[in-house]
Amino acid sequence: MSRIGNNPVAIPEGVTVEVKENIVTVKGKLGELTQEFSGVSIIVEEGEVKVTRSSDSKEQKSKHGLYRSLVLNMVEGVSKGWSKELELVGVGYRASNQGQKLDLALGFSHNIVIDLAPEVKVETVSEKGKNPIVKLTSYDKQLVGQIAAKIRSFRKPEPYKGKGIKFVGEILRRKAGKSA
């Protein structure tokens, strides 16, 4: 039995969920998301979304929890939104944005300029004496995570000094330097 898949997803006020054939559409104050599904059935009743499967095959068991989690992420996204914060740790590391363009100075010979999707809002915070922070917000959890991972991949945090781009609150495993 899937513990996650059996839990119903509560629909908050201002959010509508529609199921047509094998596509579920979630609309809310922040936007609209769609997701294709197969192998399970999704039913909307009494302010809840329920995901059920027809058999106990391994494939359907795995999809049961997956689609319930995807629907929950979509409902939370269009009602509250998702955000990720990245911290730039290193001397001379800077971040700035003009609209949807994010400009990163990460110690390379050139700045890295990224054009972000229109669904993602970007904000950069630079205070004197503190590391610059890049805040990404959107109603699509997958898109926010993908863009945050792409930005982090430009300079992953290294284990000796901790320099690089890390998520706010991420704990890094540090190594001792060479002993003389």
Side-chain angles (χ1 to χ4, degrees), residues 64-90:
H64 191 199
L66 166 75
Y67 287 121
R68 190 264 181 197
S69 294
L70 290 176
V71 169
L72 177 70
N73 290 342
M74 290 163 58
V75 168
E76 282 189 31
V78 296
S79 60
K80 298 181 213 164
W82 296 99
S83 68
K84 291 257 186 194
E85 292 185 356
L86 297 155
E87 185 178 4
L88 281 64
V89 181

Side-chain angles (χ1 to χ4, degrees), residues 29-43:
K29 64 181 179 192
L30 297 178
E32 178 181 338
L33 292 168
T34 59
Q35 175 69 47
E36 259 187 70
F37 64 92
S38 63
V40 294
S41 59
I42 297 177
I43 304 153

Side-chain angles (χ1 to χ4, degrees), residues 10-134:
I11 302 172
E13 224 171 277
V15 176
T16 60
V17 180
E18 294 176 2
V19 180
K20 288 186 181 170
E21 294 172 23
N22 63 339
I23 296 175
V24 63
T25 306
V26 180
K27 293 179 189 171
K29 64 181 179 192
L30 297 178
E32 178 181 338
L33 292 168
T34 59
Q35 175 69 47
E36 259 187 70
F37 64 92
S38 63
V40 294
S41 59
I42 297 177
I43 304 153
V44 180
E45 57 184 31
E46 300 171 14
E48 289 183 333
V49 179
K50 293 180 181 171
V51 181
T52 57
R53 63 178 188 257
S54 57
S55 73
D56 282 343
S57 69
K58 189 172 184 177
E59 183 183 355
Q60 284 198 342
K61 279 184 178 181
S62 62
K63 287 182 177 181
H64 191 199
L66 166 75
Y67 287 121
R68 190 264 181 197
S69 294
L70 290 176
V71 169
L72 177 70
N73 290 342
M74 290 163 58
V75 168
E76 282 189 31
V78 296
S79 60
K80 298 181 213 164
W82 296 99
S83 68
K84 291 257 186 194
E85 292 185 356
L86 297 155
E87 185 178 4
L88 281 64
V89 181
V91 177
Y93 287 11
R94 291 186 310 277
S96 63
N97 70 306
Q98 292 85 30
Q100 290 300 98
K101 283 189 189 260
L102 179 64
D103 189 9
L104 300 169
L106 301 173
F108 296 116
S109 60
H110 58 284
N111 285 3
I112 298 171
V113 180
I114 309 164
D115 285 322
L116 299 174
E119 297 92 20
V120 177
K121 307 275 184 285
V122 64
E123 180 188 344
T124 55
V125 179
S126 297
E127 292 180 26
K128 189 170 177 148
K130 292 188 178 178
N131 294 327
I133 292 177
V134 177

Side-chain angles (χ1 to χ4, degrees), residues 120-175:
V120 177
K121 307 275 184 285
V122 64
E123 180 188 344
T124 55
V125 179
S126 297
E127 292 180 26
K128 189 170 177 148
K130 292 188 178 178
N131 294 327
I133 292 177
V134 177
K135 292 180 183 176
L136 302 168
T137 56
S138 177
Y139 55 87
D140 190 350
K141 185 177 186 179
Q142 293 174 349
L143 189 61
V144 169
Q146 182 181 1
I147 291 173
K150 178 71 175 171
I151 293 170
R152 186 178 188 270
S153 72
F154 293 129
R155 247 322 170 197
K156 285 191 178 160
E158 54 98 17
Y160 298 102
K161 291 183 180 177
K163 288 172 54 174
I165 301 174
K166 68 179 193 105
F167 292 109
V168 171
E170 180 182 10
I171 297 168
L172 301 173
R173 278 190 68 185
R174 300 295 294 270
K175 291 183 179 179

